[in-house]
Amino acid sequence: MTEDSALPILGHALDQPSAFTPENLIDDVRRSRQIPAGTVPPVCILEFDGDITDWLVRDGIAKPFAPWACFHTSMFAMELEGVKCGIIARTIGGPYAVLIAEQLRAAGAKHIVGLTSAGRVSPDLPLPCLVVATSAIRDEGTSYHYLPPEQEVACESPLVPLLERELIATGWAVRSGKVWTTDAPYRETKTQLSKWAREGALAVEMQAASLFAFGIARQASVASVAMVSNAVDHAGAQFDTGSQEDGLQVLKAIARAAGSLFAAT
Protein backbone atom coordinates (compact mmCIF):
# COMPACT_ATOMS: atom_id res chain seq x y z
CA MET A 1 0.00 0.00 0.00
CA THR A 2 1.48 3.35 -1.03
CA GLU A 3 1.56 6.38 1.22
CA ASP A 4 -1.09 8.10 -0.93
CA SER A 5 -3.47 5.14 -0.60
CA ALA A 6 -2.88 4.44 3.12
CA LEU A 7 -6.01 4.05 5.21
CA PRO A 8 -6.85 7.35 6.96
CA ILE A 9 -7.54 5.56 10.24
CA LEU A 10 -3.84 4.61 10.41
CA GLY A 11 -2.40 7.90 9.20
CA HIS A 12 -2.02 10.01 12.33
CA ALA A 13 0.93 12.17 13.38
CA LEU A 14 0.89 10.86 16.94
CA ASP A 15 3.85 13.00 18.00
CA GLN A 16 2.07 16.26 17.18
CA PRO A 17 -0.19 18.11 19.63
CA SER A 18 -3.88 18.55 18.91
CA ALA A 19 -5.03 21.84 17.47
CA PHE A 20 -8.27 21.54 19.47
CA THR A 21 -8.02 20.77 23.19
CA PRO A 22 -10.44 19.85 25.98
CA GLU A 23 -9.17 22.84 27.94
CA ASN A 24 -10.34 25.14 25.14
CA LEU A 25 -13.77 23.55 25.12
CA ILE A 26 -14.11 23.74 28.90
CA ASP A 27 -13.21 27.45 28.86
CA ASP A 28 -15.79 28.12 26.14
CA VAL A 29 -18.52 26.21 28.00
CA ARG A 30 -17.80 28.10 31.22
CA ARG A 31 -18.10 31.43 29.43
CA SER A 32 -21.17 30.65 27.34
CA ARG A 33 -23.14 28.94 30.12
CA GLN A 34 -21.74 30.90 33.07
CA ILE A 35 -20.63 27.73 34.83
CA PRO A 36 -18.67 28.21 38.07
CA ALA A 37 -15.08 27.00 38.32
CA GLY A 38 -14.43 23.79 40.21
CA THR A 39 -12.50 20.52 40.19
CA VAL A 40 -14.45 17.38 39.39
CA PRO A 41 -14.57 14.50 41.91
CA PRO A 42 -11.37 12.43 41.98
CA VAL A 43 -13.20 9.30 40.79
CA CYS A 44 -15.44 9.64 37.74
CA ILE A 45 -17.57 6.84 36.32
CA LEU A 46 -18.78 6.70 32.74
CA GLU A 47 -22.02 4.69 32.85
CA PHE A 48 -22.85 3.21 29.47
CA ASP A 49 -26.56 2.45 29.98
CA GLY A 50 -27.68 5.28 32.27
CA ASP A 51 -30.21 3.25 34.27
CA ILE A 52 -28.13 3.27 37.44
CA THR A 53 -27.52 7.02 37.16
CA ASP A 54 -31.22 7.71 36.66
CA TRP A 55 -32.06 5.69 39.78
CA LEU A 56 -29.36 7.37 41.87
CA VAL A 57 -30.71 10.78 40.91
CA ARG A 58 -34.36 9.82 41.53
CA ASP A 59 -33.48 8.52 45.01
CA GLY A 60 -31.42 11.57 45.87
CA ILE A 61 -28.18 9.59 46.23
CA ALA A 62 -26.48 11.54 43.43
CA LYS A 63 -26.84 15.31 43.04
CA PRO A 64 -26.14 17.57 40.04
CA PHE A 65 -22.51 18.75 39.93
CA ALA A 66 -22.73 22.35 38.78
CA PRO A 67 -19.02 23.00 37.96
CA TRP A 68 -18.97 20.28 35.25
CA ALA A 69 -18.35 22.29 32.06
CA CYS A 70 -19.46 20.12 29.15
CA PHE A 71 -21.72 20.84 26.19
CA HIS A 72 -22.82 17.22 25.87
CA THR A 73 -23.37 15.69 29.32
CA SER A 74 -24.46 16.29 32.90
CA MET A 75 -22.46 15.06 35.88
CA PHE A 76 -23.92 13.92 39.17
CA ALA A 77 -21.84 13.63 42.35
CA MET A 78 -22.14 11.39 45.40
CA GLU A 79 -20.02 10.08 48.24
CA LEU A 80 -19.51 6.33 48.25
CA GLU A 81 -17.45 4.53 50.89
CA GLY A 82 -15.89 7.85 51.91
CA VAL A 83 -14.83 8.69 48.34
CA LYS A 84 -16.38 11.51 46.33
CA CYS A 85 -17.44 10.16 42.94
CA GLY A 86 -18.88 11.68 39.80
CA ILE A 87 -21.06 9.75 37.37
CA ILE A 88 -21.99 10.58 33.77
CA ALA A 89 -24.68 8.59 31.99
CA ARG A 90 -24.95 7.17 28.48
CA THR A 91 -21.36 7.63 27.33
CA ILE A 92 -21.93 5.10 24.57
CA GLY A 93 -19.03 3.96 22.36
CA GLY A 94 -15.32 4.66 22.24
CA PRO A 95 -15.38 8.08 20.53
CA TYR A 96 -17.91 9.53 22.97
CA ALA A 97 -16.34 7.92 26.04
CA VAL A 98 -12.92 9.31 25.15
CA LEU A 99 -14.35 12.74 24.32
CA ILE A 100 -15.70 12.90 27.87
CA ALA A 101 -12.61 11.27 29.41
CA GLU A 102 -10.39 13.94 27.83
CA GLN A 103 -12.51 16.62 29.50
CA LEU A 104 -12.53 14.77 32.82
CA ARG A 105 -8.75 14.57 32.83
CA ALA A 106 -8.48 18.26 31.98
CA ALA A 107 -10.94 19.05 34.77
CA GLY A 108 -8.89 17.20 37.41
CA ALA A 109 -10.24 13.63 37.60
CA LYS A 110 -7.70 11.20 39.11
CA HIS A 111 -9.35 7.91 38.08
CA ILE A 112 -11.81 7.34 35.24
CA VAL A 113 -13.76 4.07 35.19
CA GLY A 114 -15.98 2.93 32.34
CA LEU A 115 -18.96 0.85 33.52
CA THR A 116 -20.29 -0.77 30.38
CA SER A 117 -22.71 -3.42 29.22
CA ALA A 118 -21.15 -6.33 27.36
CA GLY A 119 -21.93 -9.57 25.61
CA ARG A 120 -20.30 -12.92 26.31
CA VAL A 121 -17.56 -14.16 23.98
CA SER A 122 -15.98 -16.93 26.05
CA PRO A 123 -18.44 -19.85 26.32
CA ASP A 124 -17.16 -20.54 29.85
CA LEU A 125 -18.22 -17.14 31.20
CA PRO A 126 -21.20 -17.25 33.60
CA LEU A 127 -24.19 -14.97 32.99
CA PRO A 128 -24.53 -12.44 34.41
CA CYS A 129 -21.02 -11.57 35.59
CA LEU A 130 -18.52 -8.74 35.82
CA VAL A 131 -15.33 -8.57 33.77
CA VAL A 132 -12.47 -6.32 34.78
CA ALA A 133 -10.76 -5.63 31.46
CA THR A 134 -6.99 -6.05 31.52
CA SER A 135 -6.57 -5.55 27.77
CA ALA A 136 -8.71 -4.94 24.70
CA ILE A 137 -8.72 -5.91 21.04
CA ARG A 138 -8.66 -2.72 18.98
CA ASP A 139 -11.51 -3.35 16.56
CA GLU A 140 -12.51 0.33 16.68
CA GLY A 141 -11.20 3.65 15.45
CA THR A 142 -10.48 5.97 18.36
CA SER A 143 -7.43 4.17 19.73
CA TYR A 144 -5.49 4.71 16.48
CA HIS A 145 -5.57 8.46 17.08
CA TYR A 146 -3.62 7.89 20.33
CA LEU A 147 -1.29 4.91 19.80
CA PRO A 148 0.48 3.22 16.86
CA PRO A 149 -1.38 0.31 15.23
CA GLU A 150 -1.34 -2.96 17.19
CA GLN A 151 -3.96 -5.66 17.65
CA GLU A 152 -4.38 -5.07 21.38
CA VAL A 153 -3.91 -2.42 24.04
CA ALA A 154 -3.32 -3.12 27.73
CA CYS A 155 -4.97 -1.42 30.67
CA GLU A 156 -2.16 0.18 32.68
CA SER A 157 -4.26 1.59 35.52
CA PRO A 158 -3.19 0.56 39.04
CA LEU A 159 -6.90 0.15 39.79
CA VAL A 160 -7.18 -3.19 37.97
CA PRO A 161 -6.17 -5.66 40.73
CA LEU A 162 -8.01 -3.60 43.35
CA LEU A 163 -11.19 -3.59 41.28
CA GLU A 164 -11.20 -7.37 41.01
CA ARG A 165 -10.72 -7.74 44.77
CA GLU A 166 -13.46 -5.29 45.69
CA LEU A 167 -15.94 -6.50 43.07
CA ILE A 168 -15.63 -10.10 44.28
CA ALA A 169 -16.75 -8.85 47.70
CA THR A 170 -20.11 -7.82 46.17
CA GLY A 171 -21.08 -11.44 45.51
CA TRP A 172 -20.99 -11.09 41.71
CA ALA A 173 -19.12 -13.62 39.62
CA VAL A 174 -15.99 -11.69 38.58
CA ARG A 175 -13.34 -12.40 35.95
CA SER A 176 -10.35 -10.39 34.75
CA GLY A 177 -9.02 -10.56 31.22
CA LYS A 178 -9.18 -9.48 27.61
CA VAL A 179 -12.22 -7.95 25.92
CA TRP A 180 -13.04 -7.28 22.29
CA THR A 181 -13.92 -3.65 21.55
CA THR A 182 -16.02 -3.04 18.45
CA ASP A 183 -17.63 0.03 16.90
CA ALA A 184 -20.37 -2.04 15.27
CA PRO A 185 -22.36 -4.25 17.66
CA TYR A 186 -24.82 -5.24 14.94
CA ARG A 187 -21.93 -6.52 12.79
CA GLU A 188 -20.66 -9.11 15.26
CA THR A 189 -20.50 -12.30 13.22
CA LYS A 190 -20.24 -15.87 14.45
CA THR A 191 -16.86 -16.08 12.71
CA GLN A 192 -15.58 -13.11 14.71
CA LEU A 193 -17.02 -14.40 17.97
CA SER A 194 -15.29 -17.75 17.45
CA LYS A 195 -12.01 -16.11 16.44
CA TRP A 196 -11.80 -13.82 19.46
CA ALA A 197 -12.93 -16.56 21.82
CA ARG A 198 -10.01 -18.68 20.59
CA GLU A 199 -7.68 -15.74 21.22
CA GLY A 200 -8.83 -15.39 24.81
CA ALA A 201 -11.44 -12.64 24.74
CA LEU A 202 -14.01 -12.93 27.51
CA ALA A 203 -16.58 -10.38 26.36
CA VAL A 204 -17.41 -7.85 23.65
CA GLU A 205 -18.12 -4.18 24.36
CA MET A 206 -17.66 -0.75 22.76
CA GLN A 207 -15.25 1.34 24.86
CA ALA A 208 -12.29 -0.34 26.52
CA ALA A 209 -9.69 -0.19 23.72
CA SER A 210 -10.42 3.48 23.10
CA LEU A 211 -10.24 4.38 26.79
CA PHE A 212 -7.07 2.37 27.41
CA ALA A 213 -5.26 4.00 24.48
CA PHE A 214 -6.29 7.42 25.71
CA GLY A 215 -5.09 6.51 29.21
CA ILE A 216 -1.65 5.45 27.99
CA ALA A 217 -1.19 8.43 25.68
CA ARG A 218 -2.40 10.95 28.25
CA GLN A 219 -0.89 9.19 31.30
CA ALA A 220 -4.31 8.95 32.89
CA SER A 221 -5.64 6.21 35.16
CA VAL A 222 -8.45 4.64 33.13
CA ALA A 223 -10.13 1.30 33.82
CA SER A 224 -13.15 -0.60 32.55
CA VAL A 225 -15.69 -2.87 34.24
CA ALA A 226 -18.06 -4.77 31.96
CA MET A 227 -21.44 -6.05 33.11
CA VAL A 228 -21.82 -9.14 30.92
CA SER A 229 -25.48 -10.06 30.60
CA ASN A 230 -26.18 -11.55 27.18
CA ALA A 231 -24.85 -14.01 24.60
CA VAL A 232 -25.97 -15.32 21.23
CA ASP A 233 -25.58 -18.89 22.54
CA HIS A 234 -27.51 -18.27 25.78
CA ALA A 235 -31.04 -19.68 26.03
CA GLY A 236 -31.91 -18.06 29.36
CA ALA A 237 -32.88 -14.51 30.27
CA GLN A 238 -30.86 -11.87 28.42
CA PHE A 239 -29.71 -8.44 29.61
CA ASP A 240 -30.37 -9.15 33.30
CA THR A 241 -27.86 -7.24 35.43
CA GLY A 242 -29.81 -7.41 38.65
CA SER A 243 -31.43 -4.61 40.61
CA GLN A 244 -30.36 -0.99 40.87
CA GLU A 245 -29.16 -1.85 44.38
CA ASP A 246 -26.85 -4.41 42.79
CA GLY A 247 -25.54 -1.66 40.53
CA LEU A 248 -24.94 0.55 43.56
CA GLN A 249 -22.86 -2.22 45.14
CA VAL A 250 -20.70 -2.27 42.01
CA LEU A 251 -20.22 1.50 42.26
CA LYS A 252 -19.27 1.18 45.92
CA ALA A 253 -16.69 -1.47 45.03
CA ILE A 254 -15.18 0.91 42.45
CA ALA A 255 -15.04 3.63 45.11
CA ARG A 256 -13.34 1.29 47.59
CA ALA A 257 -10.73 0.31 44.99
CA ALA A 258 -9.91 3.94 44.32
CA GLY A 259 -9.95 4.71 48.03
CA SER A 260 -7.27 2.07 48.58
CA LEU A 261 -5.03 3.87 46.12
CA PHE A 262 -5.67 7.25 47.74
CA ALA A 263 -4.82 5.79 51.16
CA ALA A 264 -1.52 4.40 49.83
CA THR A 265 -0.29 7.77 48.53
Side-chain angles (χ1 to χ4, degrees), residues 9-171:
I9 196 63
L10 302 179
H12 300 294
L14 298 175
D15 59 339
Q16 294 184 15
S18 176
F20 177 56
T21 70
E23 290 83 0
N24 289 342
L25 183 138
I26 289 170
D27 289 343
D28 287 342
V29 175
R30 288 203 191 284
R31 279 195 303 272
S32 66
R33 295 187 176 176
Q34 297 183 321
I35 292 176
T39 300
V40 300
V43 179
C44 288
I45 298 157
L46 304 177
E47 194 218 339
F48 185 92
D49 292 325
D51 293 340
I52 297 173
T53 302
D54 291 347
W55 176 77
L56 292 168
V57 174
R58 283 197 305 268
D59 276 32
I61 298 169
K63 307 287 187 181
F65 185 76
W68 174 233
C70 180
F71 280 127
H72 315 98
T73 61
S74 297
M75 179 186 289
F76 299 91
M78 57 196 160
E79 187 163 308
L80 298 174
E81 309 287 50
V83 177
K84 191 168 184 181
C85 300
I87 190 165
I88 297 173
R90 299 177 179 88
T91 50
I92 297 173
Y96 193 27
V98 170
L99 174 78
I100 304 305
E102 282 272 20
Q103 293 166 220
L104 286 171
R105 174 183 172 274
K110 303 301 182 187
H111 298 286
I112 301 167
V113 181
L115 180 60
T116 183
S117 292
R120 181 171 70 185
V121 173
S122 170
D124 299 327
L125 208 63
L127 290 180
C129 75
L130 300 175
V131 169
V132 179
T134 58
S135 64
I137 296 159
R138 297 169 64 184
D139 188 16
E140 41 70 67
T142 303
S143 68
Y144 297 97
H145 295 260
Y146 287 89
L147 295 178
E150 295 286 349
Q151 178 169 293
E152 296 180 21
V153 58
C155 179
E156 297 189 351
S157 171
L159 272 177
V160 168
L162 301 171
L163 283 170
E164 182 176 15
R165 182 190 72 191
E166 296 298 341
L167 288 167
I168 287 172
T170 67

